[in-house]
Amino acid sequence: ASVSSISHLQSPISVLDGLATLVNHSLLQRQQAEGEPRYVMLETIREYAVERLVASGEREAMHQAHAGYYLRLVSEAESQSHDQWGWARRLRPEQDNLRAALRRAESQADPEPAMRLLNALTPVWLREGYLSEWRSHAAVLLASSATQADRLAPLRAALLETSGTLASFQSDLVAARSALA
């Protein structure tokens, strides 16, 4: 439900009470990941929620909020390099959400948000060993941003540098030379 559709409630419930109610009614499942509780929506409930978002016209706004949240989270992780292992542990269970946010951002007309997200994901994904996946996303973004090369030059340069470095790590010297040139 959107904030606007629930703001009229007489007595707001706390987030924890709301989660407990959803778990008790089998609408969410509680799991443990990296020692932290996580709540997973059942697939049928998720599909229904997506239908409701589409019907209300709020799906795109929800996708933007989702992508924005994960960009901020990864940017925060990137800025706190003194705790890289702690952030890697914290972000590990978020990989599906990070991938979903990146795919949605890649599908937008403006490649800049997706480029920012992938650049911010670089240290996390490299520590986790997602080199080929990172390179695949970078190739998509570099191709989609080619017509806007001047405006996006700093982001493209960062993607090209990392792409070339990763290609060399993976013994793909042709791709490495091309990216680094």
Side-chain angles (χ1 to χ4, degrees), residues 72-150:
R72 286 187 302 278
L73 183 66
V74 172
S75 296
E76 183 180 349
E78 183 182 35
S79 73
Q80 296 188 13
S81 59
H82 64 279
D83 188 22
Q84 288 183 359
W85 294 112
W87 275 101
R89 184 181 52 75
R90 180 173 175 198
L91 292 175
R92 194 168 291 124
E94 298 295 340
Q95 293 308 310
D96 288 340
N97 280 313
L98 291 166
R99 287 181 177 104
L102 183 57
R103 280 191 307 273
R104 285 187 199 109
E106 284 175 338
S107 71
Q108 301 303 307
D110 182 6
E112 184 175 357
M115 294 171 82
R116 289 189 183 288
L117 181 55
L118 186 59
N119 275 323
L121 276 171
T122 299
V124 175
W125 277 17
L126 298 188
R127 270 192 307 277
E128 295 297 314
Y130 302 138
L131 281 61
S132 295
E133 183 177 3
W134 189 98
R135 286 180 62 203
S136 175
H137 285 287
V140 167
L141 292 170
L142 288 165
S144 70
S145 67
T147 60
Q148 303 172 52
D150 290 342

Coordinates of all heavy atoms in Angstrom, one line a residue, residues 72-150:
R72 N 21.9 4.8 -2.5 CA 22.4 5.5 -1.2 C 23.1 4.4 -0.3 O 24.1 4.8 0.2 CB 21.2 6.1 -0.5 CG 20.7 7.4 -1.2 CD 19.7 8.1 -0.3 NE 18.5 7.3 0.0 CZ 17.5 7.1 -0.9 NH1 17.5 7.7 -2.1 NH2 16.4 6.4 -0.5
L73 N 22.6 3.2 -0.2 CA 23.2 2.2 0.6 C 24.6 1.9 0.2 O 25.5 1.8 0.9 CB 22.3 1.0 0.7 CG 22.7 -0.1 1.6 CD1 22.7 0.3 3.1 CD2 21.9 -1.4 1.4
V74 N 24.7 1.6 -1.1 CA 26.0 1.2 -1.7 C 27.0 2.4 -1.6 O 28.2 2.2 -1.4 CB 25.9 0.7 -3.1 CG1 27.2 0.5 -3.8 CG2 25.1 -0.6 -3.1
S75 N 26.5 3.6 -1.9 CA 27.3 4.8 -1.8 C 27.8 5.0 -0.4 O 29.0 5.4 -0.1 CB 26.6 6.1 -2.2 OG 26.2 5.9 -3.6
E76 N 27.0 4.7 0.6 CA 27.4 4.8 2.0 C 28.5 3.8 2.3 O 29.5 4.1 3.0 CB 26.2 4.6 3.0 CG 26.6 4.7 4.4 CD 25.4 4.5 5.3 OE1 24.2 4.5 4.9 OE2 25.6 4.4 6.6
A77 N 28.3 2.6 1.8 CA 29.3 1.5 2.0 C 30.6 1.9 1.3 O 31.7 1.7 1.9 CB 28.8 0.2 1.4
E78 N 30.5 2.5 0.2 CA 31.7 2.9 -0.6 C 32.5 4.0 0.2 O 33.7 4.1 0.3 CB 31.3 3.4 -1.9 CG 32.5 3.9 -2.8 CD 32.0 4.4 -4.2 OE1 30.9 5.1 -4.2 OE2 32.7 4.2 -5.2
S79 N 31.7 4.9 0.8 CA 32.3 6.0 1.6 C 33.0 5.6 2.9 O 33.8 6.4 3.5 CB 31.3 7.2 1.8 OG 30.4 6.8 2.8
Q80 N 32.6 4.5 3.4 CA 33.1 4.0 4.7 C 34.1 2.9 4.5 O 33.9 1.8 4.9 CB 32.0 3.6 5.6 CG 31.1 4.8 5.9 CD 30.1 4.4 7.0 OE1 30.1 3.4 7.6 NE2 29.1 5.2 7.2
S81 N 35.2 3.2 3.7 CA 36.1 2.2 3.4 C 36.8 1.5 4.6 O 37.4 0.5 4.4 CB 37.2 2.7 2.4 OG 37.8 3.8 3.0
H82 N 36.8 2.2 5.7 CA 37.4 1.6 6.9 C 36.8 0.4 7.4 O 37.3 -0.4 8.1 CB 37.5 2.7 8.0 CG 36.1 3.1 8.5 ND1 35.3 4.0 7.8 CD2 35.4 2.7 9.5 CE1 34.2 4.1 8.4 NE2 34.2 3.3 9.5
D83 N 35.5 0.1 7.0 CA 34.8 -1.1 7.4 C 34.3 -1.9 6.2 O 33.2 -2.3 6.1 CB 33.6 -0.7 8.3 CG 32.9 -1.9 8.9 OD1 33.5 -2.9 9.0 OD2 31.7 -1.7 9.2
Q84 N 35.2 -2.2 5.3 CA 34.9 -2.9 4.0 C 34.3 -4.2 4.3 O 33.3 -4.6 3.7 CB 36.1 -3.0 3.1 CG 36.5 -1.7 2.5 CD 37.7 -1.9 1.6 OE1 38.2 -3.0 1.4 NE2 38.1 -0.9 0.9
W85 N 34.8 -5.0 5.2 CA 34.3 -6.3 5.5 C 33.0 -6.3 6.2 O 32.1 -7.1 5.9 CB 35.4 -7.1 6.3 CG 36.6 -7.3 5.6 CD1 37.8 -6.8 5.8 CD2 36.8 -8.1 4.4 NE1 38.7 -7.2 4.9 CE2 38.1 -8.0 3.9 CE3 35.9 -8.9 3.6 CZ2 38.6 -8.6 2.8 CZ3 36.4 -9.5 2.4 CH2 37.7 -9.3 2.1
G86 N 32.8 -5.3 7.0 CA 31.5 -5.2 7.6 C 30.4 -4.9 6.6 O 29.3 -5.4 6.6
W87 N 30.7 -4.0 5.7 CA 29.8 -3.6 4.6 C 29.6 -4.8 3.7 O 28.4 -5.0 3.2 CB 30.2 -2.4 3.9 CG 29.8 -1.1 4.6 CD1 30.5 -0.3 5.4 CD2 28.4 -0.6 4.6 NE1 29.7 0.7 5.9 CE2 28.5 0.5 5.4 CE3 27.3 -1.0 4.0 CZ2 27.3 1.3 5.6 CZ3 26.1 -0.2 4.2 CH2 26.2 0.9 5.0
A88 N 30.6 -5.5 3.4 CA 30.4 -6.7 2.5 C 29.5 -7.7 3.1 O 28.6 -8.2 2.5 CB 31.8 -7.3 2.2
R89 N 29.6 -7.9 4.4 CA 28.7 -8.8 5.1 C 27.3 -8.3 5.1 O 26.4 -9.0 4.9 CB 29.2 -9.0 6.6 CG 28.4 -10.0 7.4 CD 28.9 -10.2 8.8 NE 29.1 -8.9 9.6 CZ 28.1 -8.2 10.1 NH1 26.8 -8.6 9.9 NH2 28.3 -7.1 10.7
R90 N 27.2 -7.0 5.3 CA 25.8 -6.4 5.4 C 25.1 -6.4 4.0 O 23.9 -6.6 3.9 CB 25.9 -4.9 5.8 CG 24.6 -4.2 5.9 CD 24.6 -2.9 6.5 NE 23.4 -2.2 6.4 CZ 23.2 -0.9 6.6 NH1 24.2 -0.2 6.8 NH2 22.0 -0.4 6.4
L91 N 25.9 -6.2 2.9 CA 25.4 -6.1 1.6 C 25.2 -7.5 0.9 O 24.4 -7.6 0.0 CB 26.2 -5.3 0.7 CG 26.2 -3.8 1.0 CD1 27.2 -3.0 0.1 CD2 24.8 -3.2 0.9
R92 N 25.8 -8.5 1.4 CA 25.7 -9.9 0.8 C 24.3 -10.3 0.7 O 23.9 -10.8 -0.4 CB 26.6 -10.9 1.7 CG 26.8 -12.2 0.9 CD 27.8 -13.0 1.6 NE 29.1 -12.4 1.5 CZ 30.0 -12.1 2.5 NH1 29.6 -12.3 3.7 NH2 31.1 -11.5 2.3
P93 N 23.4 -10.2 1.7 CA 22.0 -10.7 1.5 C 21.2 -9.7 0.6 O 20.1 -10.1 0.2 CB 21.5 -10.6 2.9 CG 22.6 -10.4 3.9 CD 23.7 -9.8 3.1
E94 N 21.8 -8.6 0.2 CA 21.0 -7.6 -0.6 C 21.3 -7.8 -2.1 O 20.8 -7.0 -2.9 CB 21.4 -6.2 -0.2 CG 21.0 -5.8 1.2 CD 19.5 -5.8 1.5 OE1 18.7 -5.8 0.5 OE2 19.1 -5.9 2.6
Q95 N 22.1 -8.8 -2.5 CA 22.5 -8.9 -3.9 C 21.3 -9.0 -4.8 O 21.3 -8.4 -5.9 CB 23.4 -10.1 -4.0 CG 24.8 -10.0 -3.4 CD 25.5 -8.7 -3.7 OE1 25.6 -8.3 -4.8 NE2 25.9 -8.0 -2.7
D96 N 20.3 -9.7 -4.5 CA 19.1 -9.8 -5.4 C 18.5 -8.4 -5.6 O 18.1 -8.0 -6.7 CB 18.1 -10.8 -4.9 CG 18.5 -12.2 -5.1 OD1 19.5 -12.5 -5.9 OD2 18.0 -13.1 -4.4
N97 N 18.4 -7.7 -4.5 CA 17.8 -6.3 -4.5 C 18.7 -5.4 -5.3 O 18.3 -4.6 -6.1 CB 17.6 -5.8 -3.1 CG 16.3 -6.3 -2.5 OD1 15.2 -6.3 -3.2 ND2 16.4 -6.7 -1.3
L98 N 20.0 -5.5 -5.1 CA 21.0 -4.7 -5.9 C 20.9 -5.0 -7.4 O 20.9 -4.1 -8.2 CB 22.4 -4.9 -5.3 CG 22.6 -4.4 -3.9 CD1 23.9 -5.0 -3.4 CD2 22.7 -2.9 -3.9
R99 N 20.8 -6.3 -7.7 CA 20.7 -6.6 -9.1 C 19.4 -6.1 -9.7 O 19.4 -5.6 -10.9 CB 20.8 -8.2 -9.3 CG 22.1 -8.7 -9.1 CD 22.2 -10.2 -9.2 NE 23.5 -10.7 -9.1 CZ 24.0 -11.3 -8.0 NH1 23.2 -11.6 -7.0 NH2 25.2 -11.7 -8.0
A100 N 18.3 -6.2 -9.0 CA 17.0 -5.7 -9.5 C 17.1 -4.2 -9.7 O 16.6 -3.7 -10.7 CB 15.9 -6.1 -8.5
A101 N 17.6 -3.5 -8.8 CA 17.7 -2.0 -8.9 C 18.6 -1.7 -10.1 O 18.3 -0.8 -10.9 CB 18.3 -1.4 -7.6
L102 N 19.7 -2.4 -10.3 CA 20.6 -2.1 -11.4 C 19.9 -2.4 -12.7 O 19.9 -1.7 -13.7 CB 21.9 -2.9 -11.3 CG 22.9 -2.7 -12.4 CD1 23.3 -1.2 -12.4 CD2 24.1 -3.6 -12.1
R103 N 19.2 -3.6 -12.8 CA 18.4 -3.9 -14.1 C 17.4 -2.9 -14.4 O 17.2 -2.5 -15.6 CB 17.8 -5.3 -14.0 CG 18.7 -6.4 -14.2 CD 18.0 -7.8 -14.3 NE 17.0 -8.0 -13.3 CZ 17.4 -8.6 -12.1 NH1 18.6 -9.0 -11.9 NH2 16.4 -8.8 -11.2
R104 N 16.6 -2.4 -13.4 CA 15.6 -1.4 -13.6 C 16.3 -0.1 -14.1 O 15.8 0.6 -15.0 CB 14.8 -1.2 -12.4 CG 13.8 -2.3 -12.2 CD 12.9 -1.9 -11.0 NE 12.2 -3.2 -10.5 CZ 12.5 -3.7 -9.4 NH1 13.4 -3.2 -8.6 NH2 11.9 -4.8 -9.1
A105 N 17.4 0.3 -13.4 CA 18.1 1.5 -13.8 C 18.6 1.4 -15.2 O 18.6 2.4 -16.0 CB 19.2 1.8 -12.8
E106 N 19.1 0.2 -15.6 CA 19.6 0.1 -17.0 C 18.5 0.2 -18.0 O 18.8 0.6 -19.2 CB 20.2 -1.3 -17.1 CG 21.6 -1.5 -16.5 CD 22.1 -2.9 -16.6 OE1 21.3 -3.9 -16.7 OE2 23.3 -3.1 -16.4
S107 N 17.3 -0.1 -17.7 CA 16.2 0.0 -18.6 C 15.6 1.4 -18.8 O 14.8 1.6 -19.7 CB 15.0 -1.0 -18.2 OG 14.4 -0.4 -17.1
Q108 N 16.1 2.3 -18.1 CA 15.7 3.7 -18.2 C 16.4 4.4 -19.4 O 17.5 4.0 -19.8 CB 15.9 4.5 -16.9 CG 15.3 3.9 -15.7 CD 13.7 3.8 -15.9 OE1 13.1 4.8 -16.2 NE2 13.2 2.6 -15.7
A109 N 15.8 5.5 -19.9 CA 16.3 6.2 -21.0 C 17.7 6.9 -20.7 O 18.6 6.9 -21.5 CB 15.4 7.3 -21.5
D110 N 17.8 7.4 -19.4 CA 19.0 8.0 -19.0 C 19.9 7.0 -18.3 O 19.5 6.4 -17.2 CB 18.7 9.2 -18.0 CG 19.9 9.9 -17.6 OD1 21.0 9.6 -18.1 OD2 19.7 10.8 -16.7
P111 N 21.1 6.7 -18.8 CA 21.9 5.7 -18.2 C 22.7 6.1 -17.0 O 23.3 5.3 -16.3 CB 22.9 5.3 -19.3 CG 23.0 6.5 -20.2 CD 21.6 7.2 -20.1
E112 N 22.6 7.4 -16.7 CA 23.4 7.9 -15.6 C 23.2 7.3 -14.2 O 24.1 6.9 -13.5 CB 23.3 9.4 -15.4 CG 24.2 10.0 -14.3 CD 24.1 11.5 -14.3 OE1 23.4 12.2 -15.1 OE2 24.8 12.1 -13.4
P113 N 21.9 7.1 -13.8 CA 21.7 6.4 -12.5 C 22.2 5.0 -12.4 O 22.8 4.6 -11.4 CB 20.2 6.4 -12.3 CG 19.7 7.6 -13.2 CD 20.6 7.6 -14.3
A114 N 22.1 4.3 -13.5 CA 22.6 2.9 -13.5 C 24.1 2.9 -13.5 O 24.8 2.1 -12.9 CB 22.1 2.2 -14.8
M115 N 24.7 3.9 -14.2 CA 26.2 4.0 -14.2 C 26.7 4.3 -12.8 O 27.7 3.8 -12.3 CB 26.7 5.0 -15.2 CG 26.4 4.6 -16.6 SD 26.7 6.0 -17.8 CE 28.4 5.8 -18.0
R116 N 26.0 5.2 -12.1 CA 26.4 5.6 -10.7 C 26.3 4.4 -9.8 O 27.1 4.1 -9.0 CB 25.5 6.7 -10.2 CG 25.8 8.0 -10.8 CD 25.1 9.2 -10.1 NE 25.4 10.4 -10.8 CZ 26.5 11.1 -10.8 NH1 27.5 10.6 -10.1 NH2 26.7 12.2 -11.5
L117 N 25.2 3.6 -10.0 CA 25.0 2.4 -9.1 C 26.1 1.4 -9.4 O 26.7 0.8 -8.5 CB 23.6 1.8 -9.4 CG 23.2 0.6 -8.5 CD1 23.4 0.9 -7.0 CD2 21.8 0.1 -8.8
L118 N 26.4 1.1 -10.7 CA 27.4 0.1 -11.0 C 28.8 0.6 -10.5 O 29.5 -0.2 -9.9 CB 27.4 -0.2 -12.5 CG 28.4 -1.3 -12.8 CD1 28.0 -2.6 -12.1 CD2 28.4 -1.5 -14.4
N119 N 29.1 1.8 -10.6 CA 30.4 2.4 -10.1 C 30.4 2.2 -8.6 O 31.4 1.8 -8.0 CB 30.6 3.8 -10.5 CG 31.2 3.9 -11.9 OD1 32.0 3.1 -12.3 ND2 30.8 4.9 -12.7
A120 N 29.3 2.5 -7.9 CA 29.3 2.3 -6.5 C 29.4 0.9 -6.1 O 29.9 0.6 -5.0 CB 28.0 3.0 -5.9
L121 N 28.8 0.0 -6.9 CA 28.9 -1.5 -6.6 C 30.3 -2.1 -6.8 O 30.5 -3.2 -6.3 CB 27.9 -2.2 -7.5 CG 26.5 -2.3 -7.0 CD1 25.6 -2.9 -8.1 CD2 26.3 -3.1 -5.8
T122 N 31.1 -1.4 -7.5 CA 32.4 -1.9 -7.9 C 33.2 -2.6 -6.7 O 33.5 -3.8 -6.8 CB 33.3 -0.9 -8.6 OG1 32.6 -0.5 -9.8 CG2 34.6 -1.4 -9.0
P123 N 33.5 -1.9 -5.7 CA 34.3 -2.5 -4.6 C 33.5 -3.7 -4.0 O 34.2 -4.7 -3.6 CB 34.5 -1.4 -3.6 CG 33.7 -0.3 -4.0 CD 33.2 -0.5 -5.3
V124 N 32.2 -3.6 -3.8 CA 31.5 -4.7 -3.2 C 31.5 -5.9 -4.1 O 31.8 -7.1 -3.7 CB 30.0 -4.3 -3.0 CG1 29.1 -5.4 -2.5 CG2 30.0 -3.1 -2.0
W125 N 31.2 -5.8 -5.4 CA 31.1 -6.9 -6.3 C 32.5 -7.5 -6.6 O 32.6 -8.7 -6.8 CB 30.4 -6.5 -7.6 CG 28.9 -6.6 -7.5 CD1 28.2 -6.6 -6.3 CD2 27.9 -6.6 -8.5 NE1 26.9 -6.6 -6.6 CE2 26.7 -6.6 -7.9 CE3 28.0 -6.6 -9.9 CZ2 25.5 -6.7 -8.7 CZ3 26.9 -6.6 -10.6 CH2 25.6 -6.7 -10.0
L126 N 33.5 -6.7 -6.6 CA 34.9 -7.2 -6.8 C 35.3 -8.1 -5.6 O 35.8 -9.2 -5.7 CB 35.9 -6.1 -7.0 CG 35.7 -5.2 -8.2 CD1 36.8 -4.3 -8.4 CD2 35.4 -6.1 -9.4
R127 N 34.9 -7.6 -4.3 CA 35.2 -8.5 -3.2 C 34.5 -9.8 -3.2 O 34.9 -10.8 -2.7 CB 34.9 -7.7 -1.9 CG 36.0 -6.9 -1.3 CD 35.7 -6.4 0.1 NE 34.4 -5.7 0.2 CZ 34.2 -4.4 -0.1 NH1 35.2 -3.7 -0.5 NH2 33.1 -3.9 0.1
E128 N 33.2 -9.7 -3.7 CA 32.4 -10.9 -3.8 C 32.7 -11.8 -5.0 O 32.2 -12.9 -5.1 CB 30.9 -10.5 -3.8 CG 30.4 -9.8 -2.5 CD 30.5 -10.7 -1.3 OE1 30.1 -11.9 -1.4 OE2 31.0 -10.2 -0.3
G129 N 33.5 -11.3 -5.9 CA 33.9 -12.2 -7.0 C 33.0 -12.1 -8.2 O 33.0 -13.0 -9.1
Y130 N 32.2 -11.1 -8.4 CA 31.2 -10.9 -9.5 C 31.8 -10.2 -10.6 O 31.2 -9.3 -11.2 CB 29.9 -10.2 -9.0 CG 29.2 -10.9 -7.8 CD1 28.7 -10.1 -6.8 CD2 29.1 -12.3 -7.8 CE1 28.1 -10.7 -5.7 CE2 28.4 -12.9 -6.7 CZ 27.9 -12.1 -5.7 OH 27.3 -12.7 -4.6
L131 N 33.0 -10.6 -11.0 CA 33.8 -9.8 -12.1 C 33.1 -9.9 -13.4 O 32.9 -8.9 -14.1 CB 35.2 -10.4 -12.2 CG 36.2 -9.9 -11.2 CD1 35.8 -10.3 -9.7 CD2 37.6 -10.4 -11.5
S132 N 32.7 -11.1 -13.9 CA 32.1 -11.3 -15.2 C 30.7 -10.6 -15.2 O 30.3 -9.9 -16.2 CB 31.9 -12.7 -15.5 OG 33.1 -13.3 -15.7
E133 N 29.9 -10.7 -14.1 CA 28.7 -10.0 -14.1 C 28.8 -8.5 -14.1 O 28.1 -7.8 -14.8 CB 27.9 -10.4 -12.8 CG 26.5 -9.8 -12.7 CD 25.8 -10.3 -11.4 OE1 26.3 -11.0 -10.6 OE2 24.6 -9.8 -11.3
W134 N 29.8 -8.0 -13.4 CA 30.1 -6.5 -13.4 C 30.5 -6.1 -14.8 O 29.9 -5.1 -15.3 CB 31.3 -6.2 -12.5 CG 31.4 -4.7 -12.3 CD1 31.0 -4.0 -11.2 CD2 32.1 -3.8 -13.1 NE1 31.3 -2.7 -11.4 CE2 32.0 -2.5 -12.6 CE3 32.8 -4.0 -14.3 CZ2 32.5 -1.4 -13.2 CZ3 33.3 -2.8 -15.0 CH2 33.2 -1.6 -14.4
R135 N 31.3 -6.8 -15.5 CA 31.7 -6.5 -16.9 C 30.6 -6.5 -17.8 O 30.5 -5.7 -18.7 CB 32.8 -7.4 -17.4 CG 34.2 -7.2 -16.7 CD 35.2 -8.1 -17.2 NE 35.4 -7.9 -18.7 CZ 36.0 -8.9 -19.5 NH1 36.3 -10.1 -19.0 NH2 36.1 -8.6 -20.8
S136 N 29.7 -7.5 -17.6 CA 28.5 -7.5 -18.5 C 27.6 -6.3 -18.4 O 27.2 -5.7 -19.4 CB 27.7 -8.8 -18.2 OG 26.5 -8.9 -18.9
H137 N 27.4 -5.9 -17.1 CA 26.6 -4.7 -16.9 C 27.3 -3.4 -17.5 O 26.7 -2.6 -18.1 CB 26.3 -4.5 -15.4 CG 25.2 -5.4 -14.9 ND1 23.9 -5.2 -15.2 CD2 25.3 -6.5 -14.1 CE1 23.2 -6.2 -14.6 NE2 24.1 -7.0 -13.9
A138 N 28.6 -3.4 -17.3 CA 29.4 -2.3 -17.8 C 29.3 -2.2 -19.3 O 29.1 -1.1 -19.8 CB 30.8 -2.4 -17.3
A139 N 29.3 -3.3 -20.0 CA 29.2 -3.3 -21.4 C 27.9 -2.7 -21.9 O 27.8 -1.9 -22.8 CB 29.4 -4.7 -22.0
V140 N 26.8 -3.1 -21.2 CA 25.5 -2.6 -21.5 C 25.5 -1.1 -21.3 O 25.0 -0.3 -22.2 CB 24.4 -3.3 -20.7 CG1 23.1 -2.6 -20.8 CG2 24.3 -4.8 -21.1
L141 N 26.0 -0.6 -20.2 CA 25.9 0.8 -19.9 C 26.8 1.6 -20.8 O 26.5 2.7 -21.2 CB 26.3 1.0 -18.4 CG 25.2 0.5 -17.5 CD1 25.7 0.5 -16.0 CD2 23.9 1.2 -17.7
L142 N 28.0 1.1 -21.1 CA 28.9 1.8 -22.0 C 28.3 2.0 -23.4 O 28.3 3.0 -24.0 CB 30.2 1.2 -22.1 CG 31.1 1.3 -20.8 CD1 32.3 0.3 -20.8 CD2 31.6 2.8 -20.7
A143 N 27.6 0.9 -23.9 CA 26.9 1.0 -25.2 C 25.7 2.0 -25.1 O 25.6 2.8 -26.0 CB 26.4 -0.4 -25.6
S144 N 25.0 1.9 -24.1 CA 23.8 2.8 -24.0 C 24.1 4.3 -23.7 O 23.3 5.1 -24.0 CB 22.8 2.3 -22.9 OG 23.3 2.5 -21.6
S145 N 25.3 4.5 -23.2 CA 25.7 5.9 -22.9 C 26.6 6.5 -24.0 O 27.0 7.6 -23.9 CB 26.4 5.9 -21.6 OG 27.7 5.3 -21.6
A146 N 26.9 5.8 -25.1 CA 27.8 6.2 -26.1 C 27.4 7.5 -26.7 O 28.2 8.4 -27.0 CB 28.0 5.2 -27.2
T147 N 26.1 7.7 -26.9 CA 25.6 9.0 -27.5 C 25.7 10.2 -26.6 O 25.5 11.3 -27.0 CB 24.2 8.8 -28.1 OG1 23.3 8.5 -26.9 CG2 24.1 7.7 -29.1
Q148 N 25.9 9.9 -25.3 CA 26.0 11.0 -24.3 C 27.4 11.0 -23.7 O 27.5 11.4 -22.5 CB 24.9 10.7 -23.2 CG 23.5 10.7 -23.8 CD 22.6 10.2 -22.7 OE1 22.5 10.8 -21.6 NE2 21.8 9.2 -23.0
A149 N 28.4 10.6 -24.5 CA 29.7 10.4 -23.9 C 30.3 11.7 -23.3 O 30.9 11.6 -22.2 CB 30.7 10.0 -25.0
D150 N 30.0 12.9 -23.8 CA 30.5 14.1 -23.2 C 29.9 14.3 -21.8 O 30.7 14.6 -20.9 CB 30.3 15.3 -24.1 CG 31.1 15.3 -25.4 OD1 32.1 14.5 -25.4 OD2 30.7 16.0 -26.3

